[in-house]
Amino acid sequence: MVVAGLVGGSDMKGLSVQVLTGRWFMVFASFLIMSAAGATYMFGIYSSDIKKVLGYDQTTLNLLSFFKDLGANVGVLAGLINEVTPPWVVLIIGAVLNFFGYFMIWLAVTKKISTPRVWHMCMYICIGANSQSFANTGSLVPCVKNFPESRGAVLGVLKGYVGLSGAIITQLYHALYGNDSKSLILLIGWLPAAISLAFLRTIRYTKVIRQPNELRVFYNFLYISLGLAGYLMIMIIVQNKVVFTQGEYGMSAAAVLVLLFLPLAVVIAEEYKLWHIKNLALNKDPTPLKIITDKPNPENTDQISSISTTTPTNSLTEPSPEKQPSCWRTAFRPPDRGDDYTILQALFSIDMLILFMSAICGVGGTLTAIDNLGQIGTSLGYPKTSISTFVSLVSIWNYLGRVASGFGSEIVLKRYKFPRPLILTLTLLLSCAGHLLIAFNVPSGLYVASIIIGFCFGAQWPLLFAIISELFGLKYYSTLYNFGSVASPVGLYVLNVRVTGYLYDKEAHRQMAASGLQRVAGEELNCTGVECFKLSFIIITAVTLFGSLVSLILVLRTRKFYRSDIYKKFREQSKEAEMEMAMNGNGAGPTEVKAG
């Protein structure tokens, strides 16, 4: 007799263990880590405090911005550490770096320590921002490896929460600290570190066992995140029209937290189904097993003896293959696309070079716009309350870009063989429109530009990381994933520091000279009017257009690869894992056992 559905202390304990150790709870933990891992996108809110308190000009502020994004995106060290250690080590390192870096900046801005030198501030913000790469690597890479056939959806949702993090933290910051933007720096110092430490034992690698409804579960997560994004969008509009008290911000933040924890209901439902199926299998046919032995057939005896004589020979010869050639010798002899490249094979491949160049142009341009939103809004005459609105708009549309490109590219790839590199090309072309709106100061155009640039910036990341995983394999994905991120600070240094910051300060000095004024050392340098950023964003538009043309080369090079079944080998590996678990499990698999 099969007994199922009993509710008792032992059942609740078993279900709790199933939930807390299941891979769906690991995905939920990754959502929370990611929802606090986008503090670098909030630079536009507190940059004015740094500029005013420390007396920086725009070039110096943009240099600080460059080191912020250098730290956030140069995660090769995090990738290499993740190759040889479990994810919890990476998360601990990230938590320590995050708190130290931003805490030191907060001490400097609040004058609790003597004014640090510029290189000190660059080091602090680089260290604090570098924690983002550790959080990303420690939580995102295990999720991609645990769900290889749904990697587009995984990247879309997880990166989507990173995109939303700016708007989420903004609501929490207003609820906790009111309008004290200096305290925002303290919040982004302790909150991400605390969340990472809370889930150290949750994030891990698991054996890949594909569930038939796997993609549907990610769609449920997507719908919840869309609800969160919609709520944040409504609150941004309302808060822009009505002045909120700190208590009202507290109510808004409470609703955000409820929506953040809502995916836990989906996790419990899915893990309950798995736990129930496992219990049914364990309780199936509890009658004693009767082992039936038959006389061996002479032919079978011959086959068994043949196998027993050949198997040891194979097992002895397999572990001693020919000496593997040096990784430097094979660096320029890559395998077929989709197979596992070594790190050097990937770094020296033409495909990676093209992808890297496209990302420098695309990500560098959009990130320059995001980091300068505060100064752009001020120079174009927008009220101060609009600055946080721009940052929140970028955050929400950053999220929408990530989930749209992650899920959308997955759908069109599987149904129509539409290549991801072509979607990347179209995304770069769309971002040019946002840059031109800033360059020519279209009336209320900065609101629309924030939406376009936020969407395009967010859309590029899941595409970039999915393309890397598809072209170069998953074996060294931790390192290659982080190498792809290096394109961001390279593009940012050229376009933000050398172009935008330089031209802004040049125009500001011209305006001061025309007014008969002279800048006092240690005083902030400001520029007003459309000319402050006009030439800069015309140049950025041209660079982004060049990047889209470069990405077209990758589209042509990979068109045959994307027409093939690129996920076939993962389905085969999943079937092998299922067979292995069935053989090693409770007997409810392909083993034949006669019961009496």
Side-chain angles (χ1 to χ4, degrees), residues 149-171:
E149 285 188 64
S150 304
R151 70 187 72 178
V154 173
L155 286 165
V157 176
L158 288 176
K159 282 295 182 181
Y161 273 96
V162 176
L164 279 180
S165 63
I168 292 169
I169 295 175
T170 298
Q171 294 296 319

Side-chain angles (χ1 to χ4, degrees), residues 437-581:
L437 285 172
I438 295 174
F440 293 101
N441 190 24
V442 177
S444 298
L446 195 51
Y447 291 98
V448 181
S450 299
I451 291 171
I452 294 174
I453 289 170
F455 181 88
C456 293
F457 175 74
Q460 290 175 72
W461 289 115
L463 292 172
L464 179 66
F465 297 143
I467 292 169
I468 288 173
S469 72
E470 287 162 352
L471 296 184
F472 308 114
L474 292 175
K475 187 174 182 181
Y476 297 104
Y477 185 57
S478 295
T479 302
L480 297 179
Y481 156 85
N482 282 291
F483 180 78
S485 303
V486 175
S488 174
V490 173
L492 190 73
Y493 179 76
V494 175
L495 296 175
N496 196 16
V497 180
R498 307 308 301 174
V499 175
T500 306
Y502 170 76
L503 292 175
Y504 178 97
D505 285 344
K506 183 179 179 182
E507 176 63 19
H509 281 296
R510 189 194 67 77
Q511 290 179 5
M512 289 189 74
S515 303
L517 301 173
Q518 238 181 358
R519 186 193 175 205
V520 179
E523 191 177 85
E524 61 177 327
L525 182 62
N526 291 318
C527 174
T528 57
V530 66
E531 295 298 327
C532 300
F533 289 97
K534 184 175 183 178
L535 181 58
S536 303
F537 277 86
I538 291 174
I539 294 171
I540 289 171
T541 303
V543 170
T544 306
L545 187 61
F546 171 74
S548 67
L549 295 176
V550 171
S551 68
L552 270 178
I553 300 173
L554 186 63
V555 175
L556 297 174
R557 287 175 57 86
T558 58
R559 63 187 186 280
K560 289 183 180 178
F561 170 72
Y562 278 102
R563 286 175 189 163
S564 64
D565 187 359
I566 63 175
Y567 291 154
K568 182 180 178 181
K569 69 175 183 178
F570 295 106
R571 285 196 296 273
E572 292 173 350
Q573 290 172 2
S574 181
K575 287 178 182 177
E576 290 175 5
E578 288 172 12
M579 290 289 290
E580 182 183 340
M581 288 196 73

Side-chain angles (χ1 to χ4, degrees), residues 31-42:
F31 289 161
L32 294 185
I33 291 173
M34 290 296 184
S35 66
T40 53
Y41 305 133
M42 304 185 71

